[in-house]
Amino acid sequence: MKKSVLITFLGLSSFLAFSQTETPKYSYDPLKPTASHSKVQAFVTQFLNNYHYRKFVLDDSLSSKIWSSFIDNVDGSKAYFTKAEIDGFEKYRFTIDEAMLSGELNAPFEVFNAYRLKYKNRHAYIKDFLKKPMDFNTNDTYEVNRTTSPWANDEKELDKVWDKIILSQALGLKLSGSTDSAIVATLSKRYDMYESRVVKWRAEDIFQTFMNAFTEIIDPHTSYMIPSSAAQFNIEMSQSLEGIGATLRNEGDYVMIVDVVPGGPLFKSGQGSKNDYIVGVAQGDEGEFQDIIGWLTDDAVKLIRGKKGTVVRLKLLPSDAPTGTEPKLLRIVREKIKLEEAVAQGEIIDIKHDKKDYKIGVIDIPMFYRDFEYARQGGDFQSTTKDVKKFLLDFEEKGVDGVLIDLRNNGGGSLTEAINLSGLFIPDGPVVQRRTGRGKVDVESDTDKETVYAGPLMILQNRFSASASEIFAGAIQDYKRGLIVGERSYGKGTVQQLVDLDQFLNSPRQASRNKDNNGVSTGVGFEAKERFGQLKLTTEKFYRITGNSTQLKGVEPDLALPSPFNADEMGESSQPTALPYDEVEDAGFVKTNNINEKIINKLDVKFQSRLKSDEALKELVIDLEEYKSQKDKKEYSLNYELRKKEKEETENNRKAVKKINKSSGKNDKEEDLYLTESEKILCDLIGLLK
């Protein structure tokens, strides 16, 4: 289940891609929308209005939100346009609703064409700035996030903003050991790369940016892909590739790891994490590092991918790392990405806790997988439930005292497997509920009365446990069958479907039939050779069997371990346009009551005691608090000595995050404090249940 390499650039949070069918001539001449763009815009607007889970009204209020979203996508850092220029675009704020339905695109193209020219002029300013000596003894500070800053009154104010941006980047390179001449060379090349990308933007890129300014207002999981992006998505979904095993996309100026593919080289290395930035790439063990800040994802992928058995070295920087943080170096041997290796792993661990010996069965589930094709054929197909069942039977035979299931960083997968896996631990009954946008609620149940494992059970999750993981953990918690430990899960309780727009817009017969049946105006008479891209939209929501939704709130742990994140960070609730939390009726089920408040309270007392006495946990709590204070910092010094001190402090604090990071624990388990503490809690649980 591979995801697409989705592309953005600079301040653009929607997805950009380039057609592979022709070699265009690049210039700063104004770009214009095509007839296909108008057709797609009108159709998608009406389609979402009819079929998206969230019922919305396309009016002036929504028009204003779309316009703000688009301006933010184009210049969210407020580093290119002046206040007067932004005020000049305000005439479009309340006209977007009518334009969306009619296919009118003059407004976004006017803004984007102006932006391209602004960037061209800014590039010339940057090149001149780099010719001058830089002052690293200044008392100025650099504001990292300018989203809430006012627009500059004139170009001179923007010049001052850019002086600080460039000086901060130069200071980061200097702290990494670069000479002054090397700093100038690196930044000059970096901004030349930026400029070459801006001039290559095409009309379809602008169109996709604007369409996603619209879709992201509806909800964060709805998006439109232009034909070239859709084609790349389909390639990634259908074939394996040789490389490091990571899904990438642009985030601002950086190439960011969106997902680490279970079973891939990066996953096996245990050193790269979701949301890390790749800032440098080198070939082999001796090749020089290529700075890729500002690169588009497709260009970065060309460097990162390679033949099986070859070496690529990466410089990785966590996305929340304070300015000036030193990237970590990673050596990876490329190999064929084999999804069959992204399977559950089980082992038995002997633990001595409170002067007693325990035998713990640990099962790591990276994703919920199921070979649907073989399952339909009736063959011996592979699945999460089958693999976990084998481990459980082996554990029982070898006399384990308890079972710990590690769901950290498990982003989901097959709903069927989440339901069936729950069935291994309960007799039978409902597991999850689904509701359509029209209000119809279906209950999905485990119908197998067999309970494979009935002993002490714990589930370990983190902020990146999502979707199917939350369904499984939620069911175990609702049945009072096992203890949930860790962080609050991601909180994604929505279901998406992918719509191939070619099927609607290329077939007059299909378009006409669809209009008759469903009332969707699709248009007729389009040429069969045209390609219109794909639309991903949210169509359903998940609910727990208690009637509570996993949306936004996720699954709250029974025992919360120290975390670097606040409750609303890094999850669905951090998305301003996420669908709201709500509830449906209880599905009706019988609790096992293996876990109750009395047991949880006793476990918490023991855990709190260790927090005060265990040196590793005490150090972790202190480091995390310092890390949070650094992470929330808004400004950084542009003085070399002060910045150097800041860097040393932040590097020390980041070690705390590594100690609870599952990826670091795969190769260095003594640092995986989440796992080791969870094992102790499970031992406490076993003692209470005897």
Side-chain angles (χ1 to χ4, degrees), residues 508-521:
R509 183 179 301 174
Q510 173 66 34
S512 178
R513 183 166 64 246
N514 195 61
K515 180 178 180 180
D516 291 341
N517 292 340
N518 301 312
V520 179
S521 177

Side-chain angles (χ1 to χ4, degrees), residues 175-189:
L175 287 168
S176 298
S178 295
T179 63
D180 289 354
S181 59
I183 290 171
V184 172
T186 297
L187 292 180
S188 182
K189 187 174 182 181

